[in-house]
Amino acid sequence: MSDATESARPQAAGRFPLLTPAELSDEQRAVYDSIAGPPRGNGVFTMIYDDGALAGPFNAMLFAPAIGNAVQALGAVLRFGGTLEGRLRELIICAISAELDSAYEWYAHSRVAVTVGIDATELEHLRNGSVPPTLSDTERAALDFTRALLRGTAVDDETHARVLGHIGHPGVAELSLLIGYYRMLAGLLAAGDVPAPGAEP
Protein backbone atom coordinates (compact mmCIF):
# COMPACT_ATOMS: atom_id res chain seq x y z
CA MET A 1 0.00 0.00 0.00
CA SER A 2 0.99 3.64 -0.34
CA ASP A 3 2.94 5.44 2.34
CA ALA A 4 0.64 7.42 4.66
CA THR A 5 2.60 10.65 4.16
CA GLU A 6 2.08 10.39 0.41
CA SER A 7 -1.68 10.02 0.79
CA ALA A 8 -2.14 13.41 2.45
CA ARG A 9 -3.32 16.19 0.12
CA PRO A 10 -0.25 18.17 -1.00
CA GLN A 11 -0.11 21.90 -0.38
CA ALA A 12 0.64 22.53 -4.04
CA ALA A 13 -0.89 20.01 -6.43
CA GLY A 14 -0.43 21.82 -9.72
CA ARG A 15 -2.65 24.03 -11.84
CA PHE A 16 -5.83 21.95 -11.67
CA PRO A 17 -7.68 22.48 -8.37
CA LEU A 18 -8.06 19.21 -6.48
CA LEU A 19 -11.71 18.18 -6.42
CA THR A 20 -13.17 16.21 -3.53
CA PRO A 21 -16.15 13.89 -4.10
CA ALA A 22 -18.55 16.41 -2.52
CA GLU A 23 -17.65 18.99 -5.19
CA LEU A 24 -18.37 16.79 -8.19
CA SER A 25 -21.27 16.97 -10.63
CA ASP A 26 -23.09 13.75 -11.46
CA GLU A 27 -21.07 13.39 -14.68
CA GLN A 28 -17.81 13.97 -12.84
CA ARG A 29 -18.81 11.56 -10.10
CA ALA A 30 -19.37 8.78 -12.64
CA VAL A 31 -15.82 9.29 -13.93
CA TYR A 32 -14.48 9.46 -10.38
CA ASP A 33 -16.16 6.17 -9.44
CA SER A 34 -14.75 4.45 -12.52
CA ILE A 35 -11.23 5.59 -11.60
CA ALA A 36 -11.40 5.07 -7.83
CA GLY A 37 -12.96 1.62 -7.93
CA PRO A 38 -11.51 -1.70 -9.05
CA PRO A 39 -9.27 -2.59 -10.73
CA ARG A 40 -7.37 0.58 -9.85
CA GLY A 41 -8.03 1.96 -6.37
CA ASN A 42 -5.12 2.71 -4.10
CA GLY A 43 -2.53 0.03 -4.68
CA VAL A 44 1.23 0.40 -4.61
CA PHE A 45 1.01 4.11 -5.45
CA THR A 46 -1.24 6.94 -4.31
CA MET A 47 -4.03 7.82 -6.70
CA ILE A 48 -6.57 8.94 -4.06
CA TYR A 49 -5.61 11.37 -1.32
CA ASP A 50 -6.93 11.02 2.21
CA ASP A 51 -9.68 13.58 1.57
CA GLY A 52 -10.89 11.68 -1.50
CA ALA A 53 -9.33 13.91 -4.18
CA LEU A 54 -7.71 12.05 -7.07
CA ALA A 55 -3.96 12.32 -7.60
CA GLY A 56 -1.91 12.59 -10.77
CA PRO A 57 -3.68 12.87 -14.13
CA PHE A 58 -6.96 11.50 -12.78
CA ASN A 59 -8.03 14.74 -11.07
CA ALA A 60 -7.44 16.64 -14.32
CA MET A 61 -9.68 14.21 -16.21
CA LEU A 62 -12.62 15.33 -14.08
CA PHE A 63 -12.56 18.80 -15.66
CA ALA A 64 -13.47 17.31 -19.06
CA PRO A 65 -15.59 14.37 -17.87
CA ALA A 66 -16.81 13.01 -21.22
CA ILE A 67 -13.28 12.89 -22.61
CA GLY A 68 -11.79 12.01 -19.24
CA ASN A 69 -14.04 8.98 -19.01
CA ALA A 70 -12.93 7.72 -22.41
CA VAL A 71 -9.28 8.32 -21.49
CA GLN A 72 -9.51 6.50 -18.15
CA ALA A 73 -11.33 3.58 -19.81
CA LEU A 74 -8.53 3.25 -22.37
CA GLY A 75 -5.96 3.33 -19.59
CA ALA A 76 -7.76 0.60 -17.67
CA VAL A 77 -7.86 -1.66 -20.73
CA LEU A 78 -4.18 -1.06 -21.51
CA ARG A 79 -3.14 -1.87 -17.94
CA PHE A 80 -5.54 -4.63 -17.03
CA GLY A 81 -6.96 -6.01 -20.26
CA GLY A 82 -4.07 -5.92 -22.69
CA THR A 83 -2.04 -8.85 -23.97
CA LEU A 84 1.47 -7.49 -23.40
CA GLU A 85 3.24 -9.12 -20.45
CA GLY A 86 3.21 -7.03 -17.29
CA ARG A 87 6.98 -6.74 -17.13
CA LEU A 88 7.20 -5.55 -20.74
CA ARG A 89 4.35 -3.09 -20.24
CA GLU A 90 5.92 -1.54 -17.14
CA LEU A 91 9.38 -1.35 -18.74
CA ILE A 92 7.84 0.68 -21.54
CA ILE A 93 5.82 2.94 -19.23
CA CYS A 94 8.88 3.64 -17.07
CA ALA A 95 10.96 4.37 -20.17
CA ILE A 96 8.32 6.85 -21.38
CA SER A 97 8.13 8.47 -17.93
CA ALA A 98 11.90 8.89 -17.81
CA GLU A 99 12.20 10.11 -21.41
CA LEU A 100 9.48 12.74 -20.89
CA ASP A 101 10.55 13.56 -17.31
CA SER A 102 7.05 12.84 -16.01
CA ALA A 103 7.42 12.82 -12.23
CA TYR A 104 4.02 11.35 -11.31
CA GLU A 105 4.18 8.60 -13.93
CA TRP A 106 7.69 7.64 -12.81
CA TYR A 107 6.58 7.72 -9.17
CA ALA A 108 3.59 5.47 -9.91
CA HIS A 109 4.97 3.00 -12.40
CA SER A 110 8.41 2.51 -10.88
CA ARG A 111 6.44 1.12 -7.94
CA VAL A 112 4.27 -1.08 -10.16
CA ALA A 113 7.43 -2.22 -11.98
CA VAL A 114 8.84 -3.80 -8.84
CA THR A 115 5.72 -5.97 -8.53
CA VAL A 116 6.25 -7.46 -12.01
CA GLY A 117 9.92 -8.36 -11.63
CA ILE A 118 11.78 -5.21 -12.65
CA ASP A 119 14.65 -4.61 -10.25
CA ALA A 120 16.26 -1.42 -8.96
CA THR A 121 19.23 -1.68 -11.32
CA GLU A 122 16.97 -2.00 -14.35
CA LEU A 123 14.96 1.00 -13.16
CA GLU A 124 18.15 3.02 -12.77
CA HIS A 125 19.13 2.24 -16.36
CA LEU A 126 15.70 3.33 -17.58
CA ARG A 127 15.85 6.48 -15.48
CA ASN A 128 19.20 7.38 -17.05
CA GLY A 129 18.02 6.64 -20.58
CA SER A 130 20.20 3.56 -21.03
CA VAL A 131 19.23 0.00 -21.91
CA PRO A 132 19.33 -2.50 -19.03
CA PRO A 133 21.65 -5.37 -20.05
CA THR A 134 19.24 -7.85 -18.46
CA LEU A 135 16.44 -7.27 -20.99
CA SER A 136 15.21 -10.10 -23.18
CA ASP A 137 15.39 -9.71 -26.95
CA THR A 138 11.66 -8.95 -26.99
CA GLU A 139 11.98 -6.28 -24.32
CA ARG A 140 14.98 -4.69 -26.04
CA ALA A 141 13.14 -4.57 -29.37
CA ALA A 142 10.07 -3.00 -27.73
CA LEU A 143 12.21 -0.45 -25.91
CA ASP A 144 14.02 0.53 -29.13
CA PHE A 145 10.64 0.89 -30.86
CA THR A 146 9.35 3.05 -27.99
CA ARG A 147 12.34 5.37 -28.02
CA ALA A 148 12.14 5.73 -31.80
CA LEU A 149 8.52 6.89 -31.48
CA LEU A 150 9.31 9.24 -28.61
CA ARG A 151 12.35 10.84 -30.24
CA GLY A 152 11.09 11.20 -33.79
CA THR A 153 8.12 10.99 -36.09
CA ALA A 154 8.88 7.65 -37.73
CA VAL A 155 10.06 4.13 -36.93
CA ASP A 156 12.62 2.73 -39.35
CA ASP A 157 11.99 -0.60 -41.07
CA GLU A 158 14.64 -2.50 -39.12
CA THR A 159 13.32 -1.36 -35.72
CA HIS A 160 9.76 -2.20 -36.75
CA ALA A 161 10.74 -5.59 -38.15
CA ARG A 162 12.52 -6.58 -34.94
CA VAL A 163 9.58 -5.83 -32.68
CA LEU A 164 7.13 -7.33 -35.17
CA GLY A 165 9.11 -10.56 -35.15
CA HIS A 166 8.66 -10.82 -31.39
CA ILE A 167 5.08 -9.68 -30.74
CA GLY A 168 3.35 -9.71 -34.14
CA HIS A 169 0.94 -7.15 -35.56
CA PRO A 170 -1.48 -7.30 -32.59
CA GLY A 171 1.40 -6.64 -30.19
CA VAL A 172 2.76 -3.77 -32.29
CA ALA A 173 -0.70 -2.17 -32.36
CA GLU A 174 -1.10 -2.52 -28.58
CA LEU A 175 2.44 -1.30 -27.91
CA SER A 176 1.89 1.76 -30.11
CA LEU A 177 -1.35 2.60 -28.30
CA LEU A 178 0.35 2.11 -24.93
CA ILE A 179 3.09 4.54 -25.92
CA GLY A 180 0.55 7.07 -27.18
CA TYR A 181 -1.55 6.81 -24.03
CA TYR A 182 1.29 7.42 -21.59
CA ARG A 183 2.70 10.14 -23.79
CA MET A 184 -0.73 11.81 -23.61
CA LEU A 185 -0.82 11.48 -19.82
CA ALA A 186 2.66 12.97 -19.57
CA GLY A 187 1.41 15.95 -21.59
CA LEU A 188 -1.61 16.40 -19.33
CA LEU A 189 0.60 16.22 -16.23
CA ALA A 190 3.07 18.70 -17.72
CA ALA A 191 0.30 21.13 -18.70
CA GLY A 192 -1.10 20.96 -15.18
CA ASP A 193 2.34 21.04 -13.51
CA VAL A 194 1.15 18.08 -11.43
CA PRO A 195 3.76 16.78 -8.95
CA ALA A 196 4.22 13.29 -7.62
CA PRO A 197 2.75 12.75 -4.13
CA GLY A 198 5.19 13.82 -1.49
CA ALA A 199 7.26 15.84 -3.97
CA GLU A 200 8.17 19.44 -3.29
CA PRO A 201 6.34 21.93 -5.57
Side-chain angles (χ1 to χ4, degrees):
M1 293 296 291
S2 306
D3 186 278
T5 60
E6 292 175 349
S7 297
R9 178 191 277 246
Q11 290 187 331
R15 299 180 179 124
F16 291 103
L18 287 174
L19 300 174
T20 61
E23 300 173 85
L24 303 179
S25 68
D26 289 345
E27 190 179 15
Q28 289 173 320
R29 185 61 197 234
V31 180
Y32 179 99
D33 289 344
S34 294
I35 293 170
R40 288 190 184 100
N42 263 357
V44 294
F45 63 89
T46 294
M47 58 174 294
I48 306 169
Y49 293 119
D50 289 340
D51 65 357
L54 297 175
F58 304 107
N59 177 70
M61 291 177 192
L62 298 175
F63 287 91
I67 297 169
N69 192 50
V71 170
Q72 71 79 21
L74 173 59
V77 171
L78 286 168
R79 270 196 72 197
F80 305 107
T83 61
L84 297 177
E85 291 184 3
R87 177 180 155 88
L88 175 59
R89 183 191 67 241
E90 295 304 322
L91 282 166
I92 296 307
I93 297 170
C94 286
I96 295 166
S97 304
E99 185 80 18
L100 301 179
D101 196 24
S102 186
Y104 180 88
E105 290 304 324
W106 179 264
Y107 152 79
H109 286 277
S110 62
R111 284 158 172 75
V112 178
V114 173
T115 71
V116 293
I118 300 170
D119 65 32
T121 302
E122 290 173 320
L123 285 171
E124 189 63 24
H125 277 285
L126 294 171
R127 188 73 160 157
N128 293 331
S130 59
V131 177
T134 48
L135 297 189
S136 69
D137 290 344
T138 300
E139 292 165 350
R140 184 179 294 268
L143 183 59
D144 289 345
F145 180 89
T146 300
R147 288 180 170 159
L149 273 180
L150 291 176
R151 295 175 181 175
T153 57
V155 176
D156 64 76
D157 289 342
E158 189 274 334
T159 300
H160 177 267
R162 281 198 298 119
V163 76
L164 179 64
H166 288 286
I167 60 177
H169 290 297
V172 172
E174 184 177 333
L175 176 61
S176 302
L177 290 166
L178 181 75
I179 296 164
Y181 176 79
Y182 281 96
R183 190 173 195 169
M184 175 176 62
L185 287 195
L188 180 60
L189 290 161
D193 195 24
V194 180
E200 291 298 321

